[in-house]
Amino acid sequence: MRAENSATRTSAIAVAADPAATPHPTSAASSPAGSSTASPAGSSACTSTASPAAPSAGRSGTVLAGLGVVAFSLTFPATAWGLESFGPWSLVALRSVLAALVAGGVLLAARVPLPARRHWAGLAVVGGGVVVGFPLLTTLALQTSTTSHAAVVVGLLPLTTAVLGSLRTGERPSRAFWIAALAGAAVVIAFTVQQSGGALTTGDLYLFGALLVCAAGYTEGGRLARVMPGWQVIGWALVLCLPLAVAGSLIALPLEPVHLNAHGVLGLVWVAAGSTFLGLYVWYRGMAAIGVARASQLQLAQPLLTLVWSFLLLGEELSAAAPVAAVAVLVCIAATQRAGRRTGREAGTERSGREAKAARPGRESRPVRS
């Protein structure tokens, strides 16, 4: 008991000297193998932005999140291809089954242990948002909407994700960030609405519902990616949804006609392996490195990329306003990333000041009672 009290006093003094260096008491025992140290929701590990001391990590995080955006931009055209062969319910169920089998195989091959019990609720939110909800609602919308019109929901997704991320993880981007984010969202909405002639379709309710569930899934996945590798976040979310996906496939396939062709098969393969698994893997890994708010603003480019793919793959028309909108969006993205980096540096300076104050001799030598 004396040894325990002595160790407690020593660690308590260390807390006063350097609060950021002391792990959570239960983190070593509760963190799954191969993952980083887990912190309770709302703690500094889950709310801080990218570390200002590691600019290379921030750059690699931006690249990874950008690769995720490129993968996501192909989702709508690939879904349109998939609908040539499968009904909407069958397509969503099959893409989830295939993606879950890929993810489960990778998790088994890597011998990844089960996540801690406290993470399963968050994984269920990820699964419900990005594995089931968003694919199903957007697939239903694409039955009556073009991919150009469906890009409206993606135009609003970055701003919605940033708002939910700020509420859920405690991130506090600067005012300049929010101004640039609102400007980028306005440019994308104006462009995509003009592209669709300004008319609303019956699929808009599906699209707005997809917007909300996807933003929730992105936010929760970005939070979890700070306590476990990003590929494990999407991997376990897919495995969690596998029973529902298998049941959906068994019900939908006999009821919906299937007309296999090359486009349909390629579309199914991409939305399963490309968008759902690989895309979300790099996306969550990048989001963990640079923060939910900054990563979400990279998606401002997604509607314009989708329009390019729609022109190249589906033969849809591309207006002359696209280059102008592209330049405006890139400017807004650059502004949000710069504002995010400035916020990270200011947070790091403030944290260093607190640590220096805590490490003063008078504070350090003060006895701490257990």
Side-chain angles (χ1 to χ4, degrees):
M1 187 60 122
R2 293 179 180 274
E4 181 180 353
N5 290 338
S6 176
T8 304
R9 292 191 183 95
T10 302
S11 63
I13 293 173
V15 170
D18 188 4
T22 306
H24 190 268
T26 60
S27 61
S30 60
S31 296
S35 67
S36 57
T37 301
S39 299
S43 68
S44 61
C46 293
T47 60
S48 63
T49 55
S51 173
S56 60
R59 286 192 295 268
S60 63
T62 301
V63 171
L64 289 171
L67 289 175
V69 170
V70 174
F72 299 153
S73 70
L74 279 162
T75 300
F76 285 170
T79 300
W81 273 8
L83 287 172
E84 295 181 13
S85 295
F86 305 96
W89 296 88
S90 300
L91 179 61
V92 172
L94 287 174
R95 71 181 279 180
S96 299
V97 170
L98 293 178
L101 291 177
V102 172
V106 174
L107 291 169
L108 284 175
R111 297 182 179 180
V112 178
L114 289 172
R117 182 179 300 177
R118 65 182 181 277
H119 296 323
W120 282 108
L123 291 171
V125 174
V126 175
V130 303
V131 177
V132 177
F134 186 80
L136 177 60
L137 293 171
T138 53
T139 300
L140 292 172
L142 285 174
Q143 290 189 294
T144 57
S145 301
T146 64
T147 57
S148 301
H149 187 81
V152 173
V153 71
V154 181
L156 290 172
L157 186 56
L159 181 61
T160 308
T161 304
V163 171
L164 291 183
S166 178
L167 295 174
R168 179 68 178 92
T169 67
E171 291 182 5
R172 294 294 180 265
S174 64
R175 181 178 301 176
F177 173 92
W178 290 115
I179 293 174
L182 287 169
V187 169
V188 171
I189 293 171
F191 175 68
T192 49
V193 169
Q194 180 272 336
Q195 188 77 358
S196 63
L200 298 179
T201 68
T202 56
D204 286 324
L205 288 178
Y206 290 132
L207 292 172
F208 286 120
L211 165 72
L212 294 176
V213 298
C214 189
Y218 280 171
T219 299
E220 196 64 20
R223 185 189 68 83
L224 288 173
R226 296 185 177 185
V227 296
M228 67 175 70
W231 68 274
Q232 293 183 21
V233 173
I234 185 57
W236 287 118
L238 285 165
V239 170
L240 186 63
C241 295
L242 181 58
L244 180 63
V246 171
S249 300
L250 295 176
I251 295 173
L253 283 174
L255 299 177
E256 294 181 332
V258 176
H259 306 288
L260 292 180
N261 59 35
H263 279 178
V265 173
L266 288 174
L268 173 62
V269 170
W270 177 258
V271 294
S275 301
T276 306
F277 183 68
L278 295 177
L280 287 171
Y281 160 60
V282 294
W283 172 250
Y284 283 137
R285 188 171 176 181
M287 186 178 284
I290 65 176
V292 174
R294 281 182 61 193
S296 68
Q297 298 313 298
L298 294 174
Q299 282 196 301
L300 288 171
Q302 185 173 329
L304 301 177
L305 290 173
T306 298
L307 292 173
V308 172
W309 296 127
S310 300
F311 171 75
L312 296 176
L313 301 177
L314 304 178
E316 295 185 3
E317 294 184 1
L318 189 64
S319 74
V324 178
V327 172
V329 165
L330 289 175
V331 170
C332 293
I333 290 175
T336 59
Q337 300 306 298
R338 183 175 181 179
R341 286 193 295 270
R342 187 185 303 117
T343 302
R345 287 196 297 269
E346 291 173 355
T349 301
E350 182 179 352
R351 183 166 56 250
S352 298
R354 290 197 303 267
E355 293 173 0
K357 185 177 180 180
R360 290 175 182 172
R363 292 280 304 274
E364 189 172 341
S365 60
R366 184 181 302 170
V368 178
R369 298 182 180 277
S370 59

